[in-house]
Amino acid sequence: MNVLLTVSYIGTRYCGWQVQNNALSVQAVLQQALEKMLGRRYPLTGCSRTDAGVHARMFCCTVSTDEQANAVPLDKWPQAVNPFLTDDIAVLKARQVPDSFHPRYDVIEKEYVYRIRNSSVRDPFAAGLVYLYPKRLDEETMQKAAQAFVGKKDFTACMAQGSDVTDCVRDVKYLRVKRIGEEITIAIAADGFLYNMVRIIVGTLIDVSTGRIPLDELPARIASRERSRMGFTAPACGLYLNKVRYQDDE
């Protein structure tokens, strides 16, 4: 039986989703909890490889089980496994999917949200959950700049140097910048993302707002395929995997 789990977590103290040597990962913690609930270890596959410090409101992964695991009804999996998890990880939902289903390759759209606290005063209740940026940002200029990223195009310029990905064409469905008080949220949805793509786009929007990158140069800079012509890589602490959509979702 192939079970799709919807998981939420705060990534502050983790090296990311994927298991790594000598570092604590979300995948390792969740796999250990599932082993305690089900009585044995089963393969666990994630929808994405979130970086160290990145959070997820909706992360999807599959666990391939056998008949021995069927003793726990799927609608009871969250209540059964969550007591074995730390407070910063929770399973929200479990449902059966076809054996051919893959949580990463069957994704048709992901949405990331980036949170900026645009204030010179830090909020201790948001520590590790937002990027504190003290200089006043112009969200209207950032929204204008955001339109240069929308559409199907080569995003090599928005990929971290050293990545071995060769197909860098992605289709960005929307990129929205919104301010509520001292918090700016940036929401971006696409059919897929490159390594550090969202964080580089956020850094670029900030650099346009502060005047380091001229707004009218942005389309040409994206088309250049040169990482050095884009903005800085925003910190991981403000980034959230917010939504994952599959073909059979309502």
Side-chain angles (χ1 to χ4, degrees):
M1 182 172 68
N2 201 20
V3 179
L4 179 67
L5 302 179
T6 301
V7 184
S8 181
Y9 60 82
I10 296 173
T12 304
R13 69 189 189 101
Y14 299 100
C15 66
W17 160 259
Q18 192 167 353
V19 171
Q20 296 183 28
N21 293 330
N22 304 317
L24 185 66
S25 70
V26 177
Q27 183 182 19
V29 173
L30 180 57
Q31 197 158 34
Q32 290 170 6
L34 287 168
E35 183 176 3
K36 291 177 181 178
M37 182 190 83
L38 299 172
R40 57 165 292 190
R41 180 168 292 234
Y42 294 98
L44 188 63
T45 306
C47 68
S48 180
R49 299 178 180 179
T50 55
D51 295 338
V54 174
H55 318 293
R57 289 194 174 98
M58 180 183 181
F59 187 97
C60 295
C61 59
T62 53
V63 54
S64 300
T65 70
D66 53 27
E67 293 181 359
Q68 296 178 11
N70 295 346
V72 182
L74 287 180
D75 62 339
K76 301 298 183 183
W77 274 42
Q79 295 93 328
V81 71
N82 284 340
F84 298 114
L85 288 168
T86 52
D87 289 343
D88 51 8
I89 304 176
V91 173
L92 307 180
K93 185 170 61 173
R95 66 182 175 98
Q96 186 173 358
V97 290
D99 291 341
S100 60
F101 178 90
H102 195 286
R104 181 178 179 187
Y105 301 131
D106 287 346
V107 171
I108 61 174
E109 185 177 287
K110 294 178 185 175
E111 182 193 67
Y112 279 90
V113 169
Y114 196 93
R115 298 175 59 196
I116 302 171
R117 177 171 170 79
N118 192 200
S119 172
S120 60
V121 179
R122 64 183 177 88
D123 178 0
F125 293 99
L129 301 176
V130 299
Y131 174 34
L132 180 64
Y133 192 86
K135 186 175 180 178
R136 178 72 181 187
L137 294 172
D138 183 350
E139 67 277 8
E140 293 183 2
T141 297
M142 294 171 71
Q143 178 59 44
K144 291 177 182 178
Q147 302 318 300
F149 295 96
V150 177
K152 190 173 184 179
K153 58 191 69 180
D154 189 322
F155 284 97
T156 300
C158 300
M159 179 175 65
Q161 292 178 331
S163 176
D164 57 0
V165 176
T166 55
D167 180 8
C168 297
V169 175
R170 298 292 185 272
D171 188 4
V172 173
K173 308 297 184 181
Y174 58 80
L175 179 53
R176 301 166 183 158
V177 182
K178 182 179 180 180
R179 176 189 286 275
I180 299 179
E182 294 181 319
E183 180 164 319
I184 293 176
T185 58
I186 300 169
I188 178 171
D191 58 355
F193 293 89
L194 302 169
Y195 183 49
N196 280 354
M197 178 174 163
V198 178
R199 292 165 60 190
I200 292 169
I201 289 175
V202 170
T204 301
L205 294 179
I206 292 174
D207 280 349
V208 170
S209 176
T210 60
R212 196 185 76 81
I213 295 178
L215 177 59
D216 58 0
E217 289 185 10
L218 196 50
R221 291 190 179 219
I222 297 171
S224 73
R225 305 179 75 245
E226 298 177 13
R227 170 67 186 93
S228 60
R229 299 194 64 190
M230 305 305 289
F232 70 98
T233 303
C237 60
L239 184 60
Y240 296 74
L241 176 56
N242 197 53
K243 293 178 184 177
V244 180
R245 191 161 69 90
Y246 297 102
Q247 190 67 51
D248 62 345
D249 290 341
E250 295 182 357

